[in-house]
Amino acid sequence: MTRTYRIAAIPGDGIGAEVVGAGQKVLQALAKLDGGFTLDITGFDWGSERYRRTGAFMPGEGTDVLRSFDAILFGAVGAPDLPDHLSLWGLRLQICQTLDQYANVRPARMLPGITSPLRNVEAGDLDWVIVRENSEGEYSGQGGRSHRGLGCEVATEVSIFTRVGIERIMRFAFELARSRPRKRLTVVTKSNAQRHGMVLWDEIASEIASEFPDVVWDRMLVDAMTVRMTMDPGSLDVIVATNLHADILSDLAAALSGSIGLAPTANLNPERSAPSMFEPIHGSAFDITGKGTANPIATFWSAAMMLEHLGETAAAERLMRAIERVTADAENHSPDLGGSATTEEITSATIRAIGLNAT
């Protein structure tokens, strides 16, 4: 019996529409070839253009609408003429927090044919998964401003760390580390300076570690972590960090693995009480919007993560093999990788590679 999955497609802004469109083509080609599942994709015009028309990036009942879907494919949000905090909180964070997508998973590795800016690094030395706590921490949205415009104006941004929030992301990260060959986890912290929330983070990490005696783990201050990622990449495997710290470190990881245009993301609701959301991390990139040169590989990789989450493991693996076949050929490299291939050319090459991988 053919399995049907309902997918919500939210292209958003800038190159989001270009790469999500490319992702849909690749997914439909994969589903047609596989024959065991189909994708019922519904598009939503949520984003900055809707905000300009209506004053809201998405309708008030938007997240309730999304609950009826099996997964969400997201592009990007943000426009040059709108403050970034409006667009981020009006769409992406609204979805992530309301649907309790508390585990943000960002793999980073050197794909075939891609060169790292790091000297003498081997592909096997840079194969990480960064787990980002995605619901609280520094991005809790707590705080405010008072005495606006006066000399005594005050703004507060309160980081929230809860035992339940830390426990669940730590357990998720340890379980992920256990599932990988090296079984290693690095816990990122800043407890020398942040003596309350981050000390709780450290204490709970130690508690959860006792449940996973087969996982080798260590703890690293976030500033020292940037040095370790660049100087000793082979010492790292799975990395877990707070909302802010992992946000920064995952961009560094993407750059070190070749390009932010290659980097995928899964915003997971591990308990599956609501749909999870999958997206490239590169943003709306208005400087290249409409030029047809956006790199769609990050979206394709995100789509593979979506298929794996849906239980279509064979299709996910086939898509990843196709991605690797495409990146291995320099003719398929987009401008961010030093090439001249267009979004359409990379998409067509990936669809051809999917067919080749089926034989």
Side-chain angles (χ1 to χ4, degrees), residues 169-247:
I169 200 64
M170 286 295 173
R171 192 165 282 112
F172 179 93
F174 271 99
E175 288 174 349
L176 178 59
R178 171 182 275 172
S179 73
R180 287 167 60 87
R182 297 179 62 201
K183 294 178 169 50
R184 292 190 62 91
L185 175 67
T186 298
V187 177
V188 176
T189 183
K190 191 58 181 170
S191 51
N192 59 338
Q194 294 175 287
R195 58 181 181 163
H196 302 299
M198 291 264 65
V199 170
L200 179 64
W201 176 269
D202 289 355
E203 291 172 354
I204 293 176
S206 296
E207 294 172 13
I208 300 299
S210 65
E211 302 175 17
F212 298 86
D214 53 332
V215 175
V216 178
W217 77 286
D218 64 336
R219 188 168 58 236
M220 200 83 188
L221 294 176
V222 65
D223 43 348
M225 187 64 175
T226 62
V227 178
R228 183 173 172 185
M229 289 170 69
T230 53
M231 302 298 291
D232 192 13
S235 69
L236 297 166
D237 184 18
V238 178
I239 300 161
V240 62
T242 67
N243 221 330
L244 173 63
H245 293 165
D247 190 7

Side-chain angles (χ1 to χ4, degrees), residues 8-13 17 42-54 56-59 74 76 91:
I10 308 174
D13 300 328
T42 301
F44 293 89
D45 67 341
W46 301 348
S48 295
E49 183 58 38
R50 188 185 189 281
Y51 177 83
R52 296 186 191 97
R53 294 195 319 266
T54 69
F57 289 87
M58 61 187 292
F74 187 84
L91 188 57

Side-chain angles (χ1 to χ4, degrees), residues 88-101:
L88 187 63
W89 282 96
L91 188 57
R92 185 187 175 278
L93 288 181
Q94 176 71 10
I95 294 171
C96 288
Q97 293 197 355
T98 304
L99 299 183
D100 203 20
Q101 297 168 349

